[in-house]
Amino acid sequence: MPRTLEIEGLELRIFPARNDAELAAADRLADLAGERARRGLSCVLGLATGKTPIGIYRELVRRHRARDFSFGNVETFNLDEYWPIDLKARGSFHRFMHEHLFDHVDIPRGKRHVPNGSVPAAEIPKQCRDYEDAISRAGGIDLQLLGIGRNGHIGFNEPGSDAASRTRLVELTEETVNDNRADFDDPSKMPTHALTMGIATILEARELLVLAFGAQKAGIVRDSLRGPISPRLPASFLRIGAKDRKVTVFLDEAAAAGV
Ligand code: PGA
């Protein structure tokens, strides 16, 4: 059983080990999608990439293969993607999602959305508007999965991002580039920009499930939850309006060491 704590309307669940948190997160996603399927409704999930959610996707794929769970009523929107990028390149979030989830489960074609990082510069504003419109047309995001970057970013909303920001092109910080460089075949060619849902886009989700694991996240988790709410630390914005929506933070003991 996890320990629980409440901070300004955010519910923290602190699990003995990462794997316990991953299974609990997979449970939450599957329960929500299943409950909506029983009522004949679609379920709109906001998805994340990076090391944090991999275990959740692994568990969902396992359940799907065991015929325990269908994504038949699920529509997904990923938080972000590098720009410019070849969608098939190692390091692209498009490829990541195919490898870790999309190729193994039954999310209907046309219902899996990742910002298109292969568009030319002139098409970026339209691409970003269309992404926001597609989320609205789907009825908004029921549950958004979120990791926290070591510099406090959520999606690719880097320090300095505005709480009112929407899906847009951003420049990545040096720290983020360094953290993710190894994902690329030629690290010197890692994109320095990205398309990301904005903070306002993220905060419109009806439920947020935030995850952070490992001692290397302990400092940023503490500062995000206990420090001032500020654009210098985008993850601190998760506390805005947290009392009015469901915001749950799943941590392992190592990431929770400072809270
Ligand atoms: P990570 O990244 O899951 O690879 O630690 C989290 C993030 O940058 O949002």
Side-chain angles (χ1 to χ4, degrees):
M1 279 292 283
R3 296 194 282 132
T4 58
L5 262 181
E6 204 213 290
I7 301 176
E8 296 170 31
L10 272 82
E11 184 188 331
L12 270 66
R13 290 198 203 154
I14 302 164
F15 294 83
R18 171 181 184 145
N19 187 245
D20 303 313
E22 291 167 341
L23 296 186
D27 274 344
R28 178 63 199 133
L29 264 64
D31 284 352
L32 181 67
E35 179 238 317
R36 292 185 65 84
R38 281 191 294 281
R39 290 160 57 206
L41 301 172
S42 65
C43 180
V44 182
L45 298 178
L47 299 180
T49 49
K51 294 176 199 71
T52 304
I54 288 179
I56 302 170
Y57 298 146
R58 192 186 309 119
E59 174 62 11
L60 290 172
V61 168
R62 189 195 66 73
R63 289 183 194 195
H64 175 70
R65 287 188 173 144
R67 300 186 193 281
D68 275 350
F69 178 58
S70 166
F71 286 82
N73 67 326
V74 170
E75 179 158 8
T76 65
F77 289 89
N78 267 78
L79 284 165
D80 46 13
E81 174 63 287
Y82 294 104
W83 182 88
I85 194 151
D86 167 0
L87 302 186
K88 297 221 163 9
R90 203 169 78 80
S92 95
F93 289 163
H94 182 95
R95 176 162 163 178
F96 175 103
M97 289 310 301
H98 277 272
E99 287 183 357
H100 291 283
L101 188 69
F102 295 161
D103 290 352
H104 314 293
V105 299
D106 60 343
I107 304 167
R109 267 180 198 288
K111 300 283 187 188
R112 311 176 297 202
H113 310 272
V114 182
N116 184 352
S118 72
V119 298
E123 283 177 32
I124 289 174
K126 179 174 185 316
Q127 156 76 201
C128 293
R129 275 197 310 276
D130 288 352
Y131 206 67
E132 292 272 341
D133 289 348
I135 293 172
S136 298
R137 265 200 314 280
I141 293 174
D142 291 307
L143 184 153
Q144 176 70 54
L145 211 54
L146 276 178
I148 301 181
R150 278 197 312 130
N151 65 356
H153 69 207
I154 48 174
F156 270 142
N157 293 284
E158 299 281 39
S161 295
D162 195 283
S165 55
R166 291 273 162 196
T167 303
R168 68 202 186 287
L169 179 71
V170 293
E171 183 170 6
L172 301 175
T173 61
E174 205 177 316
E175 189 175 19
T176 296
V177 172
N178 287 335
D179 275 357
N180 294 2
R181 207 185 276 287
D183 295 340
F184 287 81
D185 283 332
D186 179 351
S188 69
K189 296 229 170 72
M190 179 179 163
T192 53
H193 288 72
L195 304 178
T196 183
M197 280 187 203
I199 302 281
T201 323
I202 292 170
L203 293 184
E204 275 171 11
R206 288 181 276 278
E207 177 174 345
L208 299 172
L209 179 45
V210 187
L211 303 116
F213 303 129
Q216 75 282 7
K217 295 282 172 79
I220 204 68
V221 166
R222 179 199 58 225
D223 294 348
S224 304
L225 299 180
R226 299 288 192 186
I229 296 179
S230 151
R232 278 189 294 140
L233 237 173
S236 68
F237 288 138
L238 296 170
R239 285 150 57 200
I240 299 176
K243 288 192 175 69
D244 306 322
R245 76 173 80 79
K246 190 171 159 71
V247 186
T248 318
V249 184
F250 281 14
L251 305 171
D252 60 3
E253 288 286 354
V259 299

